[in-house]
Every structure is written in C-alpha cells, then in structure tokens.
Amino acid sequence: MKILVATDGSLYTKRMLAYLAAHDEWLGAQHAYTVITVVPPLPARAAAVLPKDVLSAHYADEAEKVLKPVRTFLARQGLTVEYLTKSGPAAETIAATATKGKYDMLVMGSHGHGSFGALVLGSVASKVLAQCTTPVLLVR
C-alpha cells in the first residue's frame, strides 16, 4: 500500500505515529511511505523581497524542525521513507498531493475538536476530508 503521512510536528502527529507503531498492519515494510509537511508561505510582500536562496533556506529550516523527530522515529522502526516538503495552505496542499501522487491512503492526526470547535476554528483535517479523494485515516 502506498501511504502518505501528513505531519505538522504537533502532539497530534506524535499520537498518530504512536498509533501506527502500535498497529502492525499500518507500519511495516510491506507499505511504501511518504511523509509530507507543509510550511505556511511567507506573506507575498516579504517573499518578493527575499532572495530565492534565503526563501528556500527558510522553508527547508522550518520543515526540518517538523521532520527531524519523525525521521528519527521512523528510522527506529527500520522503515525506508520518502520525505516531501511543500509550502502553501496545508489542507489544500496535502489533499492535492494525496490525489496527484495516487496514494492508497492518507494518514494524519487530528486535534479532535467537537463540531462547534471545528466550525469556529476551522480544521486542516476537516478541509482535507472535504477536498481529498484518497481514503483518510484520522488519528485523534
């Protein structure tokens, strides 16, 4: 199975990884894993005045803050994993990557807000569910 794992470095990412580790059917060499993190874009005015190499370094540094512990965890599991870093609106970018990459499943953590909280706060998970044609496993 080709699995896309969305990470943001939060406690919910850690819970999602722990869930995967506890369930042999999800975490194993029989699957092909790609881990994605989406870095929020800088405001257009700021991005326009920064040299491209500085902008690229910023996005790479922000992504590595999220990916470093995930790399360590997955390496301990003995898995070979591909890592993607993208910039843009998180939900739209994750959903588009899952669809374009023809993944069999998208796995991500969720804050687990109630319906009122999701309505007021908005939720990356809710937006991904609404936009993604790939099956999604949400871990709360």
Side-chain angles (χ1 to χ4, degrees), residues 42 46-60:
L42 290 174
V49 298
L50 291 173
K52 290 194 187 282
D53 60 332
V54 172
L55 193 58
S56 294
H58 165 75
Y59 289 135

Side-chain angles (χ1 to χ4, degrees), residues 82-111:
E82 180 183 345
Y83 293 89
L84 291 176
T85 300
K86 299 204 176 211
S87 176
E92 292 84 352
T93 304
I94 292 167
T97 301
T99 301
K100 289 178 186 172
K102 298 183 180 174
Y103 289 92
D104 298 309
M105 179 166 290
L106 167 62
V107 181
M108 62 188 297
S110 172
H111 290 57

Side-chain angles (χ1 to χ4, degrees), residues 3-71:
I3 300 174
L4 181 63
V5 180
T7 62
D8 64 2
S10 69
L11 171 64
Y12 308 102
T13 291
K14 292 176 185 173
R15 286 183 184 168
M16 178 260 303
L17 291 172
Y19 176 86
L20 292 178
H23 294 82
D24 293 337
E25 66 273 16
W26 294 120
L27 202 60
Q30 70 273 22
H31 302 299
Y33 300 96
T34 302
V35 174
I36 184 172
T37 190
V38 181
V39 178
L42 290 174
R45 285 184 165 180
V49 298
L50 291 173
K52 290 194 187 282
D53 60 332
V54 172
L55 193 58
S56 294
H58 165 75
Y59 289 135
D61 289 346
E62 292 301 307
E64 191 56 28
K65 289 176 190 175
V66 171
L67 293 176
K68 185 176 180 181
V70 175
R71 283 184 213 277

Side-chain angles (χ1 to χ4, degrees), residues 103-129:
Y103 289 92
D104 298 309
M105 179 166 290
L106 167 62
V107 181
M108 62 188 297
S110 172
H111 290 57
H113 295 297
S115 58
F116 181 72
L119 177 68
V120 174
L121 299 174
S123 167
V124 171
S126 294
K127 291 177 185 174
V128 168
L129 286 171

